[in-house]
């Protein structure tokens, strides 16, 4: 229930909303931490990025195959 305030009580200022996060934040929360060192050959970050890219490519190919198969079949 909303609080009742007396007519003599000053109105409260609205509370500020949290700062909006960039749209990519939901998909890749650490994208802002990506640096040149992350892409050096042999680094753990580069291997993780490579695996993620391959995984994303596989998903895209499978989805495209399903769409094409549905259209042709």
């Amino acid at each position: 229930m909303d609080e009742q305030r007396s007519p003599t009580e000053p109105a409260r200022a609205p509370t500020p909303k949290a700062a909006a996060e960039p749209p990519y934040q939901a998909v890749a929360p650490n994208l802002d931490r990506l640096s040149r060192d992350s892409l050096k050959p042999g680094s753990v970050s580069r291997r993780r990025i490579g695996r993620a890219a391959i995984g994303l490519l596989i998903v895209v190919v499978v989805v495209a195959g399903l769409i094409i198969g549905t259209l042709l079949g």
Side-chain angles (χ1 to χ4, degrees), residues 35-60:
S35 67
R36 283 193 137 172
D37 292 336
S38 301
L39 301 174
K40 285 185 177 177
S43 68
V44 174
S45 294
R46 181 164 176 168
R47 289 192 298 254
R48 287 182 181 164
I49 292 168
R51 283 188 216 132
I54 290 170
L56 181 61
L57 182 64
I58 290 171
V59 168
V60 169

Side-chain angles (χ1 to χ4, degrees), residues 7-33:
T8 58
E9 184 181 340
R12 294 184 202 151
T15 57
K17 294 182 180 180
E21 295 181 348
Y24 64 81
Q25 202 72 18
V27 177
N30 293 326
L31 191 60
D32 57 340
R33 294 183 185 174

